[in-house]
Amino acid sequence: MPSISNKPDKLDSLSVDRKTLKATGLRATDQRAVILDIILQGGGHLDADEVYRRARQKHPLISLSTVYRALRSFKNHDLVEEMHFDEEHHHYEAKSNKEHHHLVCLKCGKVTEFQSSISGYIKKNVPQAKDFEIVGTEVRLTGYCPECRAKQ
Amino acid sequence: MPSISNKPDKLDSLSVDRKTLKATGLRATDQRAVILDIILQGGGHLDADEVYRRARQKHPLISLSTVYRALRSFKNHDLVEEMHFDEEHHHYEAKSNKEHHHLVCLKCGKVTEFQSSISGYIKKNVPQAKDFEIVGTEVRLTGYCPECRAKQ
DNA sequence: TTTGATGCAAAACGTTTGCACCAAG
DNA sequence: CTTGGTGCAAACGTTTTGCATCAAA
C-alpha cells in the first residue's frame, strides 16, 4: 500500500512526466518535468514567458533559455505543438490527437478551441490539396468574442 | 494621343499606384509607389526583407524602416494583408476580395494559394463560431508539395 | 564516463522608434 | 506653410547561441 498523502497529484504527475520524457528519449531532469507538466496541465495556449513564470514558482532557479530549449525539444519530439495566435509570440499546447482549431478574439486575446474536421473537408474539396501530402492543418479565426461584443 | 513608349507598363503601373495612394489618403512618394507596385505585381507572399531587396533595385536609397512603415500603413489602410506562414517573418500580399488560403511546403517553402469558402463551412458547422463575430479566416495547410515528394 | 541539459551573458533576429530633415499637399 | 514620409542609428522584445559546468544514463 502506498504511503498516504493529502497533497494533490503533483508528485505523481511529475513522475509521469519523467516517464514520458524517458520514453521520448529525453533526459528526465527536474526542469523538463516541470515544464512538461505546466504545458500538459496548463490548459494550452501558453507562451514561453508564461511557461517560464509558472516554472519559476516550482523551480526558482530555472532559466529562460532552458524553457526555450525544452519547448523546442518537446516540439521536435512531438510532445507539444507550436501555435501562432498573434505576431509576437509562439504559443505552446499539449499535442492532441483530435483535430481542433482556434478562435482568437482581437479585443481581449482570448483563445477558444473548437473541433472540426476541416482537413477532411479540404481534402475533399480542394483540388490543389490532392497532390500535396498534408501533415498539418492550422485554422485561425479572428474576430470578436461574445463577451467583448456585449461590452461594446 | 499619348507619347510612344517601348517600355513595359512600369511607369504606368507606378502612376496607377500613385493614384491608389492618394485615393487612400496617403502621400504619393516614390518609395511608397515602388513598394506598393512590388506587392501588387509581386505575386504575393513577400516578406519585408524581400520587398526591401526588390525595392532597392528600383530605388537604391530606400531604407528598411521605410519599407516597414509603408507595409504597416498599407495594412492599416487595407491595401495589403499580413499573413503568417512561418514563425519568423510576416508576409504581405495584395488584398483580394476572394477568400483564399494557403498550402505551405515544409521542404521548399513554396506557398500555393487555393480558393475555398472555409469560413462558410465553419459558420455552418462550428457552434462556438456562432456567437463569435468572425472578421478573418486564416487557413494554413502544411505538408509536402508534389515536386518535393517526387524528388524524395 | 559519456553526452545531453543547464545557467548565464551575449548575440541574433525581425521589427519599431526618436530624431532631424525633406518634400508632397 | 503644414504635415506626413524619409533615412539613419539606436532600441525593442523574443528567441537563439557559446561556453563552462553539471548531472542523468
Side-chain angles (χ1 to χ4, degrees):
Chain A
M1 192 176 175
S3 66
I4 295 167
S5 166
N6 53 6
K7 295 250 182 79
D9 58 351
K10 283 205 174 165
L11 292 170
D12 285 335
S13 73
L14 281 181
S15 72
V16 170
D17 296 331
R18 285 206 162 73
K19 286 206 182 83
T20 305
L21 288 169
K22 284 187 193 174
T24 314
L26 302 169
R27 287 195 181 167
T29 63
D30 288 358
Q31 292 93 328
R32 296 199 162 192
V34 166
I35 293 168
L36 186 56
D37 206 53
I38 285 166
I39 293 173
L40 260 34
Q41 315 273 320
H45 315 138
L46 308 172
D47 64 17
D49 207 65
E50 179 62 28
V51 172
Y52 176 51
R53 254 176 277 125
R54 296 192 188 187
R56 263 193 306 188
Q57 293 174 12
K58 299 186 179 183
H59 197 296
L61 302 176
I62 203 168
S63 85
L64 185 54
S65 44
T66 294
V67 171
Y68 274 107
R69 276 190 273 234
L71 291 173
R72 185 148 43 117
S73 172
F74 294 174
K75 181 180 82 169
N76 292 337
H77 289 84
D78 280 329
L79 291 176
V80 306
E81 260 176 307
E82 196 181 68
M83 315 261 53
H84 318 108
F85 295 132
D86 57 48
E87 302 77 64
E88 319 303 330
H89 318 64
H90 302 164
H91 291 249
Y92 298 87
E93 61 180 52
K95 195 106 182 184
S96 143
N97 25 17
K98 284 173 290 181
E99 177 178 344
H100 68 279
H101 307 291
H102 301 93
L103 288 157
V104 183
C105 180
L106 297 170
K107 191 98 178 288
C108 68
K110 194 184 65 177
V111 177
T112 309
E113 276 187 14
F114 64 92
Q115 269 181 257
S116 179
S117 173
I118 289 166
S119 63
Y121 171 83
I122 289 170
K123 271 180 195 128
K124 284 196 188 67
N125 293 284
V126 176
Q128 291 95 327
K130 287 261 169 28
D131 306 320
F132 237 83
E133 181 192 337
I134 296 176
V135 303
T137 308
E138 227 178 281
V139 177
R140 179 174 161 270
L141 298 176
T142 52
Y144 299 98
C145 71
E147 289 76 31
C148 288
R149 292 177 66 194
K151 270 186 212 146
Q152 238 264 16
Chain B
M1 190 176 174
S3 66
I4 296 167
S5 165
N6 54 5
K7 295 248 183 77
D9 58 351
K10 284 209 173 162
L11 292 170
D12 286 334
S13 73
L14 281 182
S15 72
V16 170
D17 297 332
R18 283 204 164 72
K19 287 206 182 83
T20 306
L21 289 168
K22 284 187 190 173
T24 314
L26 302 169
R27 286 196 181 167
T29 64
D30 287 358
Q31 292 94 329
R32 295 198 165 194
V34 166
I35 293 168
L36 186 55
D37 206 54
I38 285 165
I39 293 173
L40 259 34
Q41 315 273 320
H45 315 137
L46 308 172
D47 63 18
D49 207 65
E50 179 63 28
V51 172
Y52 176 52
R53 255 176 277 125
R54 297 193 188 186
R56 263 193 308 187
Q57 293 175 11
K58 299 187 179 182
H59 197 296
L61 302 176
I62 203 168
S63 86
L64 185 55
S65 45
T66 294
V67 171
Y68 273 108
R69 276 190 274 233
L71 291 173
R72 185 146 43 116
S73 173
F74 294 173
K75 181 179 82 168
N76 291 338
H77 289 83
D78 281 329
L79 291 176
V80 306
E81 260 177 307
E82 195 180 69
M83 316 260 55
H84 317 107
F85 295 133
D86 58 47
E87 302 77 62
E88 319 304 331
H89 317 64
H90 302 164
H91 292 249
Y92 298 87
E93 61 181 51
K95 194 108 180 182
S96 144
N97 27 15
K98 284 172 290 181
E99 177 178 343
H100 68 278
H101 306 290
H102 300 93
L103 287 157
V104 183
C105 180
L106 296 171
K107 191 96 178 289
C108 67
K110 193 184 65 178
V111 177
T112 308
E113 276 188 14
F114 65 91
Q115 269 180 260
S116 179
S117 172
I118 290 165
S119 64
Y121 171 83
I122 290 170
K123 270 178 195 129
K124 283 197 188 68
N125 293 284
V126 176
Q128 292 95 328
K130 286 262 170 23
D131 307 319
F132 237 83
E133 181 192 338
I134 297 176
V135 302
T137 309
E138 226 178 282
V139 177
R140 180 174 162 269
L141 299 176
T142 51
Y144 299 97
C145 71
E147 289 75 30
C148 287
R149 292 176 64 193
K151 271 189 211 143
Q152 237 263 15

